[in-house]
Amino acid sequence: MKHDRNGKFVNINQTRSTFALFACDPEHTYEASITTEEQANYFFEVYGSAAKRTSSVSSRSSSRQGKETTYVISNEAVQEIDPIDEDHNIVQESVSPSGDTPPSPHTTSPVNHSEQRRLLTDEGEANIPANQTNDPQFNEVIQEAEQAIDDGILPERIYQGSSGSYFVRGRNRKIIGVFKPKNEEPYGHLNPKWTKWLHKIFLPCCFGRSCLIPNQGYMSEAGASVVDSKLGLNVVPKTKVVALASETFNYTAIDKAKAKSVKFATEKFPDTIGKKMKAGLPPKIGSFQLFVTGYKDADYWIRRFQEEPLAEDVQTHFQRRFERLVCLDYIIRNTDRGNDNWLIKYDKDLILNPTEALHVAAIDNGLAFPFKHPDEWRAYPYYWAWLPYANVPFSDDTKNELYHKLKDLEVIQDLINELYSVFKHDKGFDKALFERQMSVMRGQILNLCQALEENKSPLQLVQMPLLRIERRSDALNTRGSSFIQRFQDKYPFFSSC
């Protein structure tokens, strides 16, 4: 591994050299494992002067393990260096939540590939330890999924839908989650659905949604979970952004050939190459949603409820859960909410306890958070608006639970900040487009507040004039003059599809 003067890394004679660099953020150390005197001389030729230029230089330390010596240098001396990709075997370290430095990657034990997979959360892509979020239960599910994959229990592709999505199983072979990789979305270059490929090539004018940012469906899935959690709606199964690798995912021929070569090399030379190189296919970034059991499509149960009406108290509880689904979809402006992608769980045996007898789950939230209201061919309506439940005015329970939260500017700004902390890690993130997404969401929240205040029904809510609340770039830092309200002045050609 050679370092040029422009801060880039060039791979040279990787099979013979055990030289490895570990890129860290400014709070961490920068290490290199040296096995020859020539490498040591080169290391200090490149970094020695840089270290001396800093005001806080870490003392050089070395500890011999056989013929290997580890040199440590402050990252402040090399903070101008760009992050390195996994093809160069660079590993990103971070400090644990308690402040302790993680164990050094230079170990003599075999590599545990599941520990090398990185998990993305709202804390950032590269600044947290592998498989660590602020949710211990979610961490356990991800670790269970990784261990199952290592044991040969691979994710299974879901053949419904327009993107590549997978049922992920645990070691007991039960489904524990649904994983949707970013590069297998409808606009992704590795989308496995050939019908969508034909659609995109031959009918580009009818493909996709012009109001959405392409290839950010996985962020939308995670963002819907953030909104659900922040407002206490409890209808979206917990969803976060993770990185997983599996043979059943759709990879390029180059990735497959590279993984095969690395696997051969690591198995052939386990004591040298096997300790420094990561075998296997590259992890895919995507959304991971916890799997909910016992649920069926809403369309199935709604038909059943028409034939066999619910008891009054259970019907009241269902109406409250339905209203939470309405509020979620309206706030995030979900453009793909049919009766086949929200779920109902109903257990007649628990009818005496309505809150346990019936549950609602909102899945498939990847086509939300538009940067403008639909204004071209299709309107992408909420199909629940045609159900009889949408004619019932919002209940007092829903008003009491949501109205004061939605009217609180600090709560809304905290919500936007949390969404920003999730969305910003996408490689194609555009801050201006994100602000436009939030202007649509602010307008939706304002309409929802008015509907709750005026005792409107969900159907009346979706009939309200569309608007955006935009942040004024030249405004002072005062609440009264920071935003401007704009009404939608262009509407789609078809309003019912």
Side-chain angles (χ1 to χ4, degrees):
M1 196 77 68
K2 185 177 180 180
H3 180 283
D4 64 21
R5 296 298 180 178
N6 294 323
K8 303 292 184 182
F9 285 84
V10 182
N11 190 12
I12 57 171
N13 199 13
Q14 190 177 32
T15 60
R16 294 178 57 189
S17 172
T18 59
F19 185 71
L21 296 176
F22 294 82
C24 309
D25 61 36
E27 296 181 356
H28 312 124
T29 58
Y30 199 75
E31 302 181 359
S33 297
I34 310 299
T35 56
T36 67
E37 183 178 356
E38 180 182 359
Q39 291 174 345
N41 293 336
Y42 183 78
F43 176 81
F44 286 105
E45 176 187 350
V46 174
Y47 298 108
S49 58
K52 293 176 182 178
R53 286 200 299 268
T54 63
S55 58
S56 57
V57 181
S58 298
S59 59
R60 189 179 76 185
S61 63
S62 65
S63 58
R64 292 192 173 277
Q65 297 178 353
K67 295 182 178 180
E68 183 178 281
T69 304
T70 299
Y71 296 88
V72 183
I73 186 172
S74 169
N75 192 60
E76 295 179 0
V78 290
Q79 58 186 343
E80 75 280 359
I81 298 175
D82 295 334
I84 312 304
D85 59 29
E86 294 181 357
D87 290 338
H88 292 163
N89 294 324
I90 302 306
V91 179
Q92 198 96 22
E93 291 187 344
S94 69
V95 174
S96 64
S98 61
D100 300 329
T101 303
S104 172
H106 305 286
T107 62
T108 57
S109 60
V111 177
N112 184 341
H113 301 309
S114 64
E115 293 180 357
Q116 291 184 341
R117 296 191 181 95
R118 293 175 299 163
L119 175 66
L120 307 184
T121 66
D122 53 1
E123 297 298 325
E125 176 175 357
N127 296 329
I128 59 172
N131 297 338
Q132 291 294 321
T133 70
N134 55 2
D135 188 335
Q137 293 181 345
F138 192 87
N139 294 342
E140 292 178 0
V141 174
I142 297 301
Q143 292 171 7
E144 174 70 14
E146 292 177 335
Q147 291 170 4
I149 293 174
D150 290 339
D151 292 342
I153 305 173
L154 305 179
E156 300 172 1
R157 183 180 299 168
I158 304 172
Y159 288 94
Q160 295 87 355
S162 60
S163 63
S165 53
Y166 301 83
F167 285 130
V168 181
R169 298 181 181 273
R171 286 173 293 178
N172 59 2
R173 300 188 180 276
K174 292 183 179 180
I175 300 175
I176 59 176
V178 175
F179 180 64
K180 298 181 179 181
K182 169 183 169 65
N183 59 15
E184 297 189 30
E185 292 181 7
Y187 276 103
H189 67 286
L190 291 178
N191 185 299
K193 307 295 177 67
W194 64 270
T195 53
K196 281 299 172 182
W197 179 84
L198 292 175
H199 193 179
K200 180 168 59 175
I201 297 298
F202 296 106
L203 295 171
C205 60
C206 303
F207 184 80
R209 289 162 165 77
S210 61
C211 56
L212 298 177
I213 302 175
N215 275 21
Q216 284 199 1
Y218 75 114
M219 286 294 181
S220 177
E221 294 274 5
S225 183
V226 170
V227 174
D228 177 83
S229 175
K230 186 68 176 179
L231 299 181
L233 300 174
N234 298 320
V235 292
V236 178
K238 190 165 295 182
T239 310
K240 293 182 181 292
V241 179
V242 305
L244 293 176
S246 170
E247 298 175 4
T248 52
F249 298 160
N250 195 28
Y251 286 97
T252 63
I254 294 176
D255 283 336
K256 294 178 180 178
K258 185 188 299 183
K260 186 176 181 180
S261 300
V262 172
K263 181 179 179 181
F264 172 80
T266 55
E267 292 177 351
K268 190 73 173 178
F269 307 101
D271 295 333
T272 55
I273 301 177
K275 295 180 180 180
K276 302 299 178 182
M277 298 182 68
K278 178 182 177 181
L281 293 161
K284 284 178 176 261
I285 302 299
S287 64
F288 188 98
Q289 184 174 87
L290 299 184
F291 187 73
V292 289
T293 58
Y295 287 76
K296 291 185 178 181
D297 292 348
D299 186 62
Y300 169 82
W301 280 115
I302 289 173
R303 294 177 186 274
R304 288 284 302 272
F305 296 159
Q306 291 174 351
E307 299 173 359
E308 303 175 12
L310 295 169
E312 183 178 355
D313 53 349
V314 179
Q315 175 63 43
T316 301
H317 174 67
F318 174 59
Q319 182 70 31
R320 305 295 179 265
R321 306 304 297 181
F322 173 78
E323 291 172 2
R324 293 189 179 196
L325 170 75
V326 168
C327 293
L328 171 77
D329 281 347
Y330 194 81
I331 290 173
I332 67 177
R333 186 45 183 107
N334 196 333
T335 66
D336 185 36
R337 180 62 77 208
N339 292 332
D340 58 344
N341 57 10
W342 63 282
L343 310 176
I344 297 175
K345 180 180 180 180
Y346 178 54
D347 189 345
K348 290 184 179 180
D349 296 335
L350 300 175
I351 194 172
L352 296 179
N353 187 357
T355 58
E356 295 296 330
L358 194 146
H359 302 271
V360 169
I363 61 171
D364 289 343
N365 303 301
L367 297 176
F369 296 100
F371 62 89
K372 65 175 183 177
H373 289 288
D375 59 2
E376 296 185 5
W377 288 103
R378 297 174 59 189
Y380 308 111
Y382 312 96
Y383 285 91
W384 43 251
W386 294 315
L387 296 175
Y389 316 109
N391 295 317
V392 181
F394 284 102
S395 64
D396 292 336
D397 289 343
T398 300
K399 297 175 189 176
N400 295 335
E401 291 172 359
L402 289 179
Y403 181 75
H404 294 291
K405 292 180 183 178
L406 298 177
K407 290 287 288 186
D408 191 331
L409 296 180
E410 292 184 0
V411 172
I412 300 306
Q413 188 56 49
D414 287 344
L415 172 60
I416 292 175
N417 292 340
E418 290 187 30
L419 290 172
Y420 177 80
S421 68
V422 174
F423 285 23
K424 70 179 181 180
H425 296 294
D426 183 77
K427 289 185 178 180
F429 177 76
D430 186 305
K431 193 171 183 179
L433 281 178
F434 174 79
E435 182 55 38
R436 292 179 64 183
Q437 289 175 296
M438 295 302 101
S439 69
V440 172
M441 190 180 77
R442 292 189 196 100
Q444 297 291 93
I445 291 175
L446 183 61
N447 272 351
L448 179 56
C449 286
Q450 182 178 348
L452 294 175
E453 188 175 8
E454 297 177 0
N455 298 318
K456 292 181 180 291
S457 67
L459 178 59
Q460 293 172 319
L461 169 65
V462 301
Q463 294 172 343
M464 295 177 68
L466 300 177
L467 54 88
R468 306 183 307 277
I469 307 297
E470 299 177 353
R471 186 186 299 274
R472 293 180 54 182
S473 58
D474 59 341
L476 298 174
N477 292 326
T478 59
R479 292 182 178 179
S481 60
S482 295
F483 301 93
I484 184 171
Q485 177 176 301
R486 299 185 187 277
F487 286 91
Q488 179 85 346
D489 55 3
K490 181 182 177 183
Y491 290 89
F493 186 80
F494 298 104
S495 61
S496 60
C497 65

